[in-house]
Coordinates of all heavy atoms in Angstrom, one line a residue:
P273 N -17.8 5.2 -24.1 CA -17.2 6.1 -25.1 C -16.6 7.3 -24.5 O -15.5 7.8 -25.0 CB -18.4 6.4 -26.1 CG -19.3 5.2 -25.9 CD -19.2 4.8 -24.5
W274 N -17.3 7.9 -23.5 CA -16.7 9.1 -22.9 C -15.4 8.8 -22.2 O -14.5 9.6 -22.2 CB -17.7 9.7 -21.9 CG -17.3 11.0 -21.3 CD1 -17.5 12.2 -21.7 CD2 -16.4 11.1 -20.1 NE1 -16.9 13.1 -20.9 CE2 -16.2 12.5 -19.9 CE3 -15.9 10.2 -19.2 CZ2 -15.5 13.0 -18.9 CZ3 -15.1 10.7 -18.2 CH2 -14.9 12.1 -18.0
V275 N -15.4 7.6 -21.5 CA -14.1 7.3 -20.8 C -13.0 7.0 -21.7 O -11.9 7.5 -21.5 CB -14.4 6.0 -19.9 CG1 -13.1 5.4 -19.4 CG2 -15.4 6.3 -18.8
E276 N -13.3 6.4 -22.9 CA -12.2 6.2 -23.9 C -11.7 7.5 -24.4 O -10.5 7.6 -24.7 CB -12.8 5.3 -25.0 CG -13.0 3.8 -24.5 CD -13.7 3.0 -25.6 OE1 -14.3 3.6 -26.5 OE2 -13.6 1.7 -25.5
A277 N -12.6 8.4 -24.7 CA -12.2 9.7 -25.2 C -11.4 10.5 -24.1 O -10.3 11.1 -24.4 CB -13.4 10.6 -25.6
F278 N -11.8 10.4 -22.8 CA -11.0 11.0 -21.7 C -9.6 10.5 -21.6 O -8.7 11.2 -21.5 CB -11.8 10.7 -20.4 CG -11.1 11.2 -19.2 CD1 -11.3 12.5 -18.7 CD2 -10.3 10.3 -18.5 CE1 -10.6 12.9 -17.5 CE2 -9.6 10.8 -17.3 CZ -9.8 12.1 -16.8
L279 N -9.5 9.1 -21.8 CA -8.2 8.5 -21.7 C -7.3 8.8 -22.9 O -6.1 8.9 -22.8 CB -8.3 7.0 -21.5 CG -9.0 6.5 -20.2 CD1 -9.2 5.0 -20.2 CD2 -8.2 7.0 -19.0
A280 N -8.0 8.9 -24.1 CA -7.2 9.1 -25.4 C -6.4 10.4 -25.4 O -5.3 10.4 -25.9 CB -8.2 9.0 -26.5
T281 N -7.0 11.4 -24.8 CA -6.3 12.7 -24.7 C -5.0 12.6 -23.9 O -4.1 13.4 -24.0 CB -7.2 13.8 -24.1 OG1 -7.6 13.5 -22.8 CG2 -8.4 14.0 -25.0
R282 N -4.9 11.6 -23.0 CA -3.8 11.4 -22.2 C -2.9 10.3 -22.7 O -1.9 9.9 -22.0 CB -4.3 11.1 -20.8 CG -4.9 12.2 -20.1 CD -6.0 11.8 -19.1 NE -6.5 12.9 -18.3 CZ -7.4 13.7 -18.7 NH1 -8.0 13.6 -19.9 NH2 -7.9 14.7 -18.0
G283 N -3.2 9.8 -23.9 CA -2.3 8.7 -24.5 C -2.7 7.3 -24.0 O -1.9 6.4 -24.2
L284 N -3.8 7.2 -23.3 CA -4.1 5.9 -22.7 C -5.3 5.2 -23.4 O -6.1 5.9 -24.1 CB -4.4 6.1 -21.2 CG -3.3 6.7 -20.4 CD1 -3.8 7.0 -19.0 CD2 -2.1 5.8 -20.3
Q285 N -5.5 3.9 -23.2 CA -6.7 3.2 -23.7 C -7.1 2.1 -22.7 O -6.2 1.6 -22.0 CB -6.5 2.7 -25.1 CG -5.3 1.7 -25.2 CD -5.1 1.3 -26.6 OE1 -5.9 1.5 -27.5 NE2 -4.0 0.5 -26.9
L286 N -8.3 1.7 -22.8 CA -8.8 0.6 -22.0 C -8.3 -0.7 -22.5 O -8.0 -0.9 -23.7 CB -10.3 0.6 -22.0 CG -11.0 1.7 -21.3 CD1 -12.6 1.6 -21.5 CD2 -10.7 1.8 -19.8
S287 N -8.0 -1.6 -21.5 CA -7.6 -3.0 -21.9 C -8.8 -3.8 -22.3 O -9.8 -4.0 -21.5 CB -6.9 -3.6 -20.7 OG -6.7 -5.0 -20.9
E288 N -8.8 -4.3 -23.5 CA -10.0 -5.0 -24.0 C -10.2 -6.3 -23.2 O -11.4 -6.7 -23.0 CB -9.8 -5.3 -25.5 CG -9.9 -4.1 -26.4 CD -11.2 -3.4 -26.4 OE1 -12.2 -4.1 -26.2 OE2 -11.3 -2.2 -26.6
E289 N -9.2 -7.0 -22.8 CA -9.3 -8.3 -22.2 C -9.8 -8.1 -20.7 O -10.3 -9.1 -20.1 CB -8.0 -9.0 -22.2 CG -6.8 -8.3 -21.5 CD -5.5 -9.1 -21.7 OE1 -5.4 -9.9 -22.6 OE2 -4.6 -8.9 -20.8
K290 N -9.6 -7.0 -20.1 CA -9.9 -6.8 -18.7 C -11.1 -5.9 -18.5 O -11.6 -5.7 -17.4 CB -8.7 -6.2 -17.9 CG -7.6 -7.2 -17.8 CD -6.4 -6.6 -17.0 CE -5.2 -7.5 -16.9 NZ -4.1 -6.9 -16.1
T291 N -11.7 -5.3 -19.6 CA -12.8 -4.3 -19.4 C -14.1 -5.0 -19.9 O -14.1 -5.5 -21.0 CB -12.5 -3.1 -20.3 OG1 -11.3 -2.5 -19.8 CG2 -13.7 -2.1 -20.1
R292 N -15.1 -5.0 -19.0 CA -16.4 -5.6 -19.4 C -17.5 -5.0 -18.6 O -17.2 -4.4 -17.5 CB -16.3 -7.1 -19.1 CG -16.0 -7.5 -17.7 CD -15.7 -9.0 -17.5 NE -15.5 -9.3 -16.1 CZ -16.3 -10.1 -15.4 NH1 -17.2 -10.8 -16.1 NH2 -16.1 -10.4 -14.2
V293 N -18.7 -5.2 -19.0 CA -19.9 -4.8 -18.3 C -20.6 -6.0 -17.8 O -20.9 -6.9 -18.5 CB -20.9 -4.0 -19.2 CG1 -22.1 -3.6 -18.5 CG2 -20.2 -2.7 -19.8
V294 N -20.8 -6.0 -16.5 CA -21.4 -7.2 -15.8 C -22.6 -6.8 -15.0 O -22.7 -5.7 -14.5 CB -20.4 -8.0 -15.0 CG1 -19.3 -8.5 -15.8 CG2 -19.8 -7.1 -13.9
H295 N -23.5 -7.8 -14.7 CA -24.6 -7.5 -13.8 C -24.2 -7.9 -12.4 O -23.4 -8.9 -12.2 CB -25.8 -8.4 -14.2 CG -27.1 -8.0 -13.5 ND1 -27.5 -8.4 -12.3 CD2 -28.1 -7.1 -13.9 CE1 -28.6 -7.9 -11.9 NE2 -29.0 -7.1 -12.9
I296 N -24.7 -7.2 -11.4 CA -24.2 -7.4 -10.0 C -24.6 -8.9 -9.6 O -23.9 -9.4 -8.7 CB -24.8 -6.4 -9.1 CG1 -24.1 -6.4 -7.7 CG2 -26.3 -6.5 -9.0 CD1 -22.7 -6.2 -7.7
D297 N -25.6 -9.5 -10.1 CA -26.0 -10.8 -9.7 C -24.9 -11.8 -10.2 O -24.8 -13.0 -9.7 CB -27.3 -11.2 -10.3 CG -28.5 -10.5 -9.5 OD1 -28.2 -9.9 -8.5 OD2 -29.6 -10.4 -10.0
D298 N -24.2 -11.5 -11.3 CA -23.1 -12.4 -11.8 C -21.8 -12.1 -11.1 O -20.9 -13.0 -11.1 CB -22.9 -12.2 -13.3 CG -24.2 -12.5 -14.1 OD1 -24.9 -13.5 -13.7 OD2 -24.5 -11.9 -15.1
G299 N -21.7 -10.9 -10.5 CA -20.5 -10.6 -9.8 C -19.3 -10.2 -10.6 O -19.2 -10.4 -11.8
F300 N -18.3 -9.5 -9.9 CA -17.1 -9.1 -10.5 C -16.0 -9.0 -9.5 O -16.3 -8.9 -8.3 CB -17.2 -7.7 -11.2 CG -17.5 -6.6 -10.3 CD1 -16.5 -5.8 -9.8 CD2 -18.8 -6.3 -9.8 CE1 -16.7 -4.8 -8.9 CE2 -19.1 -5.3 -8.9 CZ -18.0 -4.5 -8.5
D301 N -14.7 -9.1 -9.9 CA -13.6 -9.1 -9.0 C -13.0 -7.7 -9.1 O -12.8 -7.1 -10.2 CB -12.5 -10.1 -9.4 CG -13.0 -11.5 -9.2 OD1 -14.0 -11.7 -8.5 OD2 -12.3 -12.5 -9.7
F302 N -12.6 -7.2 -7.9 CA -11.9 -5.9 -7.8 C -11.0 -5.9 -6.6 O -11.5 -6.1 -5.5 CB -13.0 -4.8 -7.7 CG -12.4 -3.4 -7.8 CD1 -11.7 -2.9 -8.9 CD2 -12.7 -2.5 -6.8 CE1 -11.2 -1.6 -8.9 CE2 -12.2 -1.2 -6.8 CZ -11.5 -0.7 -7.9
L303 N -9.7 -5.6 -6.8 CA -8.8 -5.5 -5.7 C -8.7 -6.7 -4.8 O -8.5 -6.7 -3.6 CB -9.1 -4.3 -4.8 CG -9.2 -2.9 -5.5 CD1 -9.6 -1.8 -4.6 CD2 -7.8 -2.6 -6.1
G304 N -8.8 -7.9 -5.4 CA -8.7 -9.2 -4.7 C -10.0 -9.6 -4.0 O -10.0 -10.6 -3.3
W305 N -11.1 -8.9 -4.3 CA -12.4 -9.3 -3.7 C -13.4 -9.6 -4.8 O -13.3 -9.1 -5.9 CB -13.0 -8.2 -2.8 CG -12.2 -8.0 -1.5 CD1 -11.9 -8.9 -0.5 CD2 -11.5 -6.8 -1.1 NE1 -11.2 -8.4 0.5 CE2 -10.9 -7.1 0.2 CE3 -11.4 -5.5 -1.6 CZ2 -10.2 -6.1 0.9 CZ3 -10.7 -4.6 -0.9 CH2 -10.1 -4.9 0.3
N306 N -14.4 -10.4 -4.5 CA -15.5 -10.7 -5.4 C -16.7 -10.0 -4.9 O -17.1 -10.2 -3.7 CB -15.7 -12.2 -5.6 CG -16.9 -12.5 -6.5 OD1 -18.0 -12.7 -6.1 ND2 -16.6 -12.4 -7.8
F307 N -17.3 -9.1 -5.7 CA -18.6 -8.4 -5.3 C -19.7 -9.1 -6.1 O -19.7 -9.1 -7.3 CB -18.5 -6.9 -5.7 CG -17.4 -6.2 -5.0 CD1 -16.1 -6.3 -5.4 CD2 -17.7 -5.3 -4.0 CE1 -15.0 -5.6 -4.7 CE2 -16.7 -4.6 -3.3 CZ -15.4 -4.8 -3.7
R308 N -20.7 -9.5 -5.3 CA -21.9 -10.2 -6.0 C -23.1 -10.2 -5.1 O -22.9 -10.3 -3.8 CB -21.5 -11.7 -6.3 CG -22.5 -12.4 -7.1 CD -22.1 -13.8 -7.4 NE -23.1 -14.6 -8.0 CZ -23.0 -15.9 -8.2 NH1 -21.9 -16.6 -8.0 NH2 -24.0 -16.6 -8.8
K309 N -24.3 -10.1 -5.7 CA -25.5 -10.1 -4.9 C -26.1 -11.5 -5.0 O -26.2 -12.1 -6.0 CB -26.5 -9.1 -5.5 CG -26.4 -7.7 -4.9 CD -27.5 -6.8 -5.2 CE -27.4 -5.4 -4.5 NZ -28.5 -4.5 -4.8
Y310 N -26.4 -12.0 -3.8 CA -27.1 -13.3 -3.7 C -28.5 -13.1 -3.1 O -28.7 -12.6 -2.0 CB -26.3 -14.2 -2.7 CG -24.9 -14.5 -3.1 CD1 -23.9 -13.6 -2.9 CD2 -24.6 -15.7 -3.8 CE1 -22.6 -13.9 -3.3 CE2 -23.3 -16.0 -4.2 CZ -22.3 -15.1 -3.9 OH -21.0 -15.3 -4.3
S311 N -29.5 -13.3 -4.0 CA -30.9 -13.1 -3.6 C -31.1 -11.7 -3.1 O -31.8 -11.4 -2.1 CB -31.3 -14.1 -2.6 OG -31.2 -15.4 -3.0
G312 N -30.5 -10.7 -3.8 CA -30.6 -9.3 -3.5 C -29.7 -8.8 -2.4 O -29.8 -7.6 -2.1
K313 N -28.9 -9.6 -1.8 CA -28.0 -9.2 -0.7 C -26.5 -9.2 -1.2 O -26.0 -10.2 -1.7 CB -28.1 -10.1 0.5 CG -27.2 -9.7 1.7 CD -27.4 -10.5 2.9 CE -26.6 -10.0 4.1 NZ -26.8 -10.9 5.3
L314 N -25.9 -8.0 -1.1 CA -24.5 -7.9 -1.6 C -23.5 -8.6 -0.6 O -23.5 -8.2 0.6 CB -24.1 -6.4 -1.8 CG -22.7 -6.2 -2.3 CD1 -22.5 -6.7 -3.7 CD2 -22.3 -4.7 -2.2
L315 N -22.7 -9.5 -1.1 CA -21.7 -10.1 -0.3 C -20.3 -9.9 -0.9 O -20.2 -10.1 -2.1 CB -21.9 -11.6 -0.1 CG -23.2 -12.1 0.7 CD1 -23.2 -13.6 0.8 CD2 -23.2 -11.4 2.1
I316 N -19.4 -9.5 -0.2 CA -18.0 -9.3 -0.7 C -17.1 -10.3 0.0 O -17.0 -10.5 1.2 CB -17.5 -7.9 -0.3 CG1 -18.5 -6.8 -0.7 CG2 -16.1 -7.6 -0.9 CD1 -18.2 -5.4 -0.2
K317 N -16.5 -11.2 -0.9 CA -15.7 -12.3 -0.5 C -14.3 -12.2 -1.1 O -14.2 -11.6 -2.2 CB -16.3 -13.6 -0.8 CG -17.7 -13.8 -0.3 CD -18.3 -15.1 -0.8 CE -19.7 -15.4 -0.2 NZ -20.3 -16.7 -0.7
P318 N -13.3 -12.9 -0.5 CA -12.0 -13.0 -1.2 C -12.2 -13.7 -2.6 O -12.9 -14.7 -2.7 CB -11.2 -13.9 -0.3 CG -11.8 -13.7 1.0 CD -13.3 -13.5 0.8
S319 N -11.6 -13.1 -3.6 CA -11.8 -13.7 -5.0 C -11.1 -15.0 -5.1 O -10.1 -15.3 -4.4 CB -11.3 -12.7 -6.0 OG -9.9 -12.6 -6.0
K320 N -11.6 -15.9 -6.0 CA -11.0 -17.2 -6.2 C -9.5 -17.0 -6.7 O -8.6 -17.8 -6.3 CB -11.8 -18.0 -7.2 CG -13.1 -18.4 -6.7 CD -13.9 -19.3 -7.7 CE -15.2 -19.7 -7.2 NZ -16.0 -20.5 -8.2
K321 N -9.3 -16.0 -7.5 CA -7.9 -15.8 -8.0 C -7.0 -15.4 -6.9 O -5.9 -15.9 -6.8 CB -8.0 -14.7 -9.1 CG -6.6 -14.4 -9.7 CD -6.7 -13.3 -10.7 CE -5.3 -12.9 -11.3 NZ -5.4 -11.8 -12.2

Side-chain angles (χ1 to χ4, degrees):
W274 184 91
V275 170
E276 289 175 341
F278 174 88
L279 296 176
T281 60
R282 293 152 173 78
L284 303 172
Q285 60 181 352
L286 293 176
S287 170
E288 292 296 331
E289 60 183 24
K290 296 182 181 179
T291 302
R292 62 193 184 118
V293 176
V294 296
H295 195 275
I296 190 61
D297 289 346
D298 298 324
F300 65 95
D301 291 349
F302 186 60
L303 302 177
W305 292 299
N306 178 261
F307 297 74
R308 184 178 173 185
K309 273 191 174 179
Y310 299 83
S311 302
K313 183 177 182 180
L314 179 68
L315 295 182
I316 307 172
K317 303 178 180 181
S319 69
K320 290 181 180 179
K321 180 182 177 182

